[in-house]
C-alpha cells in the first residue's frame, strides 16, 4: 500500500508541477464586460489564458461588426440628409415666394374694394377665438403664432375649420375673419 501512496503523491506533484497553478477565485466573462486584472491574468495557467484570449478576440470581432454596421447606417443617413436639406431649402424658398405673391395679390384686391383693409393694424384675436387676417399673413404664419398653435404645420387645421370662408388655402386676404378651433 505504501507504493500506492507514493504513486498518488507523485501524480499530485506532477499535476501541480505541470501547470495547474493557483486557481483563480472568479471567472471573468468578457461578453459581459467583465475582464481579469493583470494580477488575475498572471494567475491563469496557459490553457485558461488561451481560452480568455479567444473570448477577448471573439468580443473584439463582435464589436468590430457592430461598429461597421453602425457606420454603414450612419453613412446611409448622411446620404439622405443632403437631398433632404436641399428639398427643405427649395420648399422654404417656394413658400416665401408664394407668401410674398399672396400678400401682393391681397393688397391689390384690397385696394380695389373687394376685401376690407385693416389699415396695417395687427391681426385681432378676440375671446371667441377669431382672427382677422393682416396683410402678408398666410395660414402657415397664423398657425405658427404662439397664441394660435405655435406650429406652422398645423395650418391645415385652420383651413379645414374655415372651408366655408376660405376657397383656396393659398389665398387669404387682409380683413378676412377666420375661426381658430381649439
Amino acid at each position: 500500500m505504501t507504493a500506492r501512496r507514493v504513486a498518488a503523491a507523485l501524480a499530485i506533484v506532477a499535476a501541480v508541477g505541470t501547470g495547474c497553478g493557483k486557481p483563480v477565485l472568479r471567472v471573468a466573462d468578457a461578453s459581459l464586460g467583465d475582464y481579469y486584472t493583470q494580477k488575475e491574468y498572471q494567475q491563469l495557467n496557459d490553457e485558461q489564458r488561451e481560452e480568455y484570449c479567444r473570448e477577448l478576440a471573439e468580443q473584439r470581432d463582435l464589436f468590430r461588426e457592430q461598429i461597421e454596421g453602425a457606420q454603414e447606417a450612419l453613412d446611409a443617413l448622411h446620404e439622405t440628409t443632403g437631398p433632404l436639406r436641399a428639398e427643405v431649402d427649395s420648399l422654404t424658398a417656394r413658400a416665401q415666394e408664394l407668401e410674398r405673391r399672396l400678400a401682393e395679390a391681397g393688397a391689390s384686391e384690397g385696394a380695389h374694394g373687394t376685401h376690407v383693409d385693416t389699415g396695417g393694424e395687427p391681426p385681432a384675436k378676440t375671446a371667441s377665438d377669431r382672427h382677422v387676417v393682416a396683410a402678408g399673413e398666410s395660414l402657415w404664419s397664423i398657425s405658427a403664432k404662439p397664441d394660435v398653435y405655435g406650429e406652422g404645420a398645423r395650418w391645415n387645421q385652420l383651413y379645414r375649420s374655415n372651408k366655408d370662408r376660405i376657397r383656396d388655402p393659398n389665398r387669404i386676404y387682409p380683413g378676412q375673419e377666420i375661426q381658430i378651433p381649439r
Side-chain angles (χ1 to χ4, degrees):
M1 289 232 184
T2 56
R4 281 187 179 171
R5 286 186 183 175
V6 171
L10 286 175
I12 291 172
V13 169
V16 170
T18 60
C20 285
K22 296 180 182 177
V24 176
L25 299 177
R26 67 182 190 88
V27 175
D29 188 350
S31 68
L32 299 175
D34 181 28
Y35 305 103
Y36 287 122
T37 64
Q38 184 174 359
K39 184 177 179 180
E40 290 173 326
Y41 180 78
Q42 290 171 348
Q43 292 176 350
L44 298 176
N45 64 33
D46 289 341
E47 183 181 320
Q48 291 169 322
R49 286 180 183 173
E50 286 178 23
E51 180 181 345
Y52 182 63
C53 288
R54 270 192 310 274
E55 289 175 7
L56 289 176
E58 288 173 11
Q59 194 65 39
R60 179 203 58 215
D61 294 343
L62 179 63
F63 287 153
R64 284 182 177 165
E65 287 175 18
Q66 290 173 344
I67 290 170
E68 288 173 12
Q71 186 63 49
E72 288 172 6
L74 182 61
D75 291 344
L77 287 173
H78 283 301
E79 287 177 15
T80 60
T81 46
L84 289 175
R85 187 169 288 126
E87 184 177 357
V88 166
D89 293 343
S90 171
L91 289 172
T92 301
R94 178 73 174 141
Q96 290 171 345
E97 172 63 18
L98 289 173
E99 285 184 9
R100 183 192 61 75
R101 288 174 51 197
L102 183 60
E104 288 174 1
S108 68
E109 286 185 24
H112 291 91
T114 27
H115 295 282
V116 178
D117 185 8
T118 60
E121 293 178 19
K125 179 183 177 257
T126 66
S128 64
D129 289 336
R130 293 183 299 125
H131 179 83
V132 178
V133 177
E137 284 189 313
S138 65
L139 291 177
W140 181 282
S141 65
I142 295 169
S143 178
K145 291 179 181 280
D147 60 331
V148 178
Y149 298 125
E151 295 179 84
R154 291 180 61 188
W155 68 268
N156 56 358
Q157 190 173 352
L158 287 175
Y159 174 62
R160 283 194 308 266
S161 66
N162 288 281
K163 277 191 175 183
D164 58 326
R165 294 179 181 95
I166 303 171
R167 288 188 306 240
D168 180 354
N170 295 315
R171 298 184 74 86
I172 59 173
Y173 304 99
Q176 192 173 10
E177 186 178 291
I178 61 173
Q179 296 293 322
I180 312 286
R182 301 288 176 179

